[in-house]
Amino acid sequence: MKTTMYLLGNAFRINQTKAPENLPSVQASKKFFKQMNIFERKVLGKKMKKSEGTAAEIYATALDLLDEYLDLVELPPTDSGNYDSEFSTKVGLSSRIT
């Protein structure tokens, strides 16, 4: 998932002179994964800083960061309902091209 988000974020470049690490979309994906790593450590009960908050607070912050990333790569936010149903590889009503 990290690689996919990095490549998608890198695809939204205005010009080729800016390093990929400096793109807002790539930086947003890094912030999201940093927050998710904190969330994972919290859930697994690993040693944490006391100031990091509860697992629910960390998860809510991660969702906000994900929405920021999705906006930068022109995808709908997590609360839009587009991600609620199972993904289908079918195109249209059936997978057949007619």
Side-chain angles (χ1 to χ4, degrees):
M1 187 169 162
K2 286 182 183 181
T3 304
T4 304
M5 287 179 75
Y6 176 82
L7 290 173
L8 182 60
N10 194 19
F12 283 80
R13 302 182 94 171
I14 296 172
N15 59 36
Q16 296 296 321
T17 60
K18 198 171 194 178
E21 302 300 320
N22 297 333
L23 295 171
S25 54
V26 172
Q27 290 175 346
S29 71
K30 285 185 173 188
K31 287 180 193 175
F32 168 72
F33 281 110
K34 182 178 179 182
Q35 193 69 20
M36 287 306 294
N37 288 337
I38 294 169
F39 176 70
E40 181 181 21
R41 285 196 320 266
K42 183 73 168 185
V43 170
L44 295 176
K46 295 185 178 178
K47 190 173 182 180
M48 307 268 309
K49 296 177 183 175
K50 291 181 182 178
S51 62
E52 290 178 342
T54 66
E57 293 169 344
I58 296 168
Y59 183 74
T61 303
L63 279 180
D64 290 340
L65 292 171
L66 180 60
D67 282 337
E68 179 184 327
Y69 169 80
L70 291 173
D71 183 50
L72 289 169
V73 295
E74 300 177 7
L75 289 171
T78 55
D79 60 357
S80 66
N82 289 352
Y83 309 108
D84 294 342
S85 60
E86 186 176 330
F87 178 74
S88 172
T89 57
K90 293 181 180 180
V91 177
L93 298 176
S94 71
S95 59
R96 293 184 54 155
I97 299 175
T98 57

